């Protein structure tokens, strides 16, 4: 089973709110997920990004691949700098 670290959209129309989740890559964007790793709220100034670093590093060690957007968030939070495998 190939897993991805990706964003799951929530919130109302024109008011996005995202959860950072681990999901099987075959599942839909807002479908079933394995574990919730945090959230990202771009509507606030500045944008709020709350992530569980320990869980993310654990999943990256297990071979989970972040999507491009999540990879940018992880770099911004300084998580990918600590884990050289995922870069």
């Amino acid at each position: 089973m190939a897993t991805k670290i990706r964003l799951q959209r929530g919130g109302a129309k024109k008011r996005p709110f995202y959860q950072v989740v681990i999901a099987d890559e075959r599942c839909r964007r807002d479908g079933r997920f394995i574990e919730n790793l945090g959230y990202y709220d771009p509507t606030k100034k500045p944008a709020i990004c709350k992530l569980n670093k320990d869980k993310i590093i654990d999943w990256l060690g297990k071979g989970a691949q972040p999507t491009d957007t999540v990879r940018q968030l992880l770099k911004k939070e300084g998580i990918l700098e600590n884990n050289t495998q995922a870069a």
Side-chain angles (χ1 to χ4, degrees), residues 20 38 45 63:
V20 180
K45 298 293 181 198

Side-chain angles (χ1 to χ4, degrees), residues 3-6 20-22 37 56 59-60 64-67 70:
T3 56
K4 293 269 188 187
I5 303 175
R6 63 182 178 196
V20 180
V21 298
I22 282 285
L37 303 175
I56 291 173
W59 277 104
L60 289 172
Q65 295 296 314
T67 59
V70 173

Side-chain angles (χ1 to χ4, degrees), residues 70-85:
V70 173
R71 186 180 305 268
Q72 289 177 355
L73 288 174
L74 295 179
K75 284 182 182 177
K76 192 178 199 180
E77 294 292 313
I79 296 174
L80 280 185
E81 296 168 358
N82 300 336
N83 190 354
T84 56
Q85 271 185 324

Side-chain angles (χ1 to χ4, degrees), residues 1-14:
M1 174 172 67
T3 56
K4 293 269 188 187
I5 303 175
R6 63 182 178 196
L7 296 177
Q8 184 178 38
R9 191 184 192 283
K13 184 164 84 171
K14 308 248 182 178

